[in-house]
Amino acid sequence: MGLSKTDNFTAEENELAAFAKALGHPARVAIIKYLSTQASCVCGSIVEVIPLAQATVSQHLKELKNAGLIQGNIEGNSICYCLNPEKWKKFKAMLEPTFNYIEQPVCC
Amino acid sequence: MGLSKTDNFTAEENELAAFAKALGHPARVAIIKYLSTQASCVCGSIVEVIPLAQATVSQHLKELKNAGLIQGNIEGNSICYCLNPEKWKKFKAMLEPTFNYIEQPVCC
DNA sequence: TTGTCTTATTGCAATATTACGATAAAGAAC
DNA sequence: GTTCTTTATCGTAATATTGCAATAAGACAA
């Protein structure tokens, strides 16, 4: 159908899926990586770094913002996009059980 | 276009995106959570737990397997799906820099 | 062999995503 | 005011994803 049946799953499952989905595109991974390492967060410099058209980058930024992974702050004439620490901590916390599980000897 | 321009991105960006994309659906999150907590890994019990048709669950399992996050071992008449520790460690390692970054005071 | 149980695949319809050019909107700079 | 700069949105085309019924494929049992 092309329509995820989100109603059948828990809020936590849906939220983790939303975080993961937002990160599920190389351009968005590149944006997050850039924001994790650079001091700069101006939208314009993100557009310069990502090898896609400005409209497309803007669309990817919107998806990351919708998922909550980044937030945009107006900075004079431009916009500063930054990681949202709270959401990233939540993301990390939701992955932790699986990250811990695989440290033990796994079945099969 | 609906076609990701993966060529423009690094292998690492594409791999992280592939992991995240595989996890980007609540059914697949639920499958991973189930495999992280239960001893059972038989395909049939996964189908019982996920509120979707058997064909759909099989499709989701295939995507998780393609991404490398799980592996299937034939267990008599059925199949045992387990997490792939190596890939999960890689996934974790690739997220670590961002997880560490957000512990510091962030810009803006 | 025949039947049963388990999982995968096929075929299809509905919806979502990706990408970009063109254009709009909102400020700064003048 | 006008113009430039910066970012967002619209419109559109191509492709991908999701979901399920139906069916196939494989292994085991009798």
Side-chain angles (χ1 to χ4, degrees):
Chain A
M1 288 186 183
L3 173 58
S4 298
K5 303 180 85 177
T6 54
D7 294 351
N8 289 332
F9 300 95
T10 69
E12 205 195 314
E13 284 162 354
N14 279 307
E15 189 171 20
L16 178 48
F19 286 152
K21 190 175 186 179
L23 208 61
H25 189 288
R28 296 195 287 267
V29 167
I31 291 170
I32 295 299
K33 272 183 65 178
Y34 182 72
L35 295 182
S36 301
T37 52
Q38 290 283 335
S40 170
C41 54
V42 183
C43 178
S45 60
I46 299 172
V47 172
E48 275 176 27
V49 160
I50 306 297
L52 293 171
Q54 179 267 327
T56 309
V57 173
S58 181
Q59 207 170 241
H60 284 306
L61 287 168
K62 189 181 177 183
E63 278 182 68
L64 286 169
K65 202 166 61 177
N66 283 345
L69 292 179
I70 63 171
Q71 55 198 114
N73 304 83
I74 298 172
E75 188 94 351
N77 197 21
S78 55
I79 295 184
C80 174
Y81 279 107
C82 313
L83 302 186
N84 181 334
E86 265 61 38
K87 297 287 180 160
W88 275 95
K89 281 172 190 165
K90 206 168 181 183
F91 189 15
K92 183 184 180 185
M94 289 194 288
L95 287 173
E96 211 94 294
T98 303
F99 286 155
N100 290 336
Y101 178 74
I102 50 111
E103 294 299 334
Q104 312 162 25
V106 190
C107 86
C108 311
Chain B
M1 289 186 182
L3 173 58
S4 297
K5 304 178 84 178
T6 53
D7 293 351
N8 290 331
F9 300 96
T10 69
E12 205 195 313
E13 284 161 354
N14 279 305
E15 190 171 18
L16 178 48
F19 286 151
K21 190 176 185 178
L23 207 61
H25 189 288
R28 296 195 289 267
V29 167
I31 291 170
I32 295 298
K33 271 183 66 178
Y34 182 72
L35 295 182
S36 301
T37 52
Q38 290 283 334
S40 170
C41 54
V42 183
C43 178
S45 59
I46 299 173
V47 171
E48 275 176 26
V49 160
I50 305 297
L52 293 171
Q54 179 268 327
T56 310
V57 174
S58 181
Q59 206 170 242
H60 284 306
L61 287 168
K62 188 181 179 184
E63 279 182 67
L64 286 169
K65 202 166 60 176
N66 284 345
L69 291 179
I70 65 172
Q71 54 198 115
N73 304 82
I74 297 173
E75 189 95 351
N77 197 20
S78 56
I79 295 184
C80 174
Y81 279 108
C82 313
L83 302 186
N84 182 334
E86 266 59 39
K87 296 288 180 158
W88 276 95
K89 281 172 189 165
K90 206 167 181 184
F91 188 16
K92 183 184 180 185
M94 289 195 287
L95 287 173
E96 211 93 294
T98 303
F99 286 155
N100 289 336
Y101 177 74
I102 49 109
E103 293 299 334
Q104 312 161 25
V106 191
C107 87
C108 311

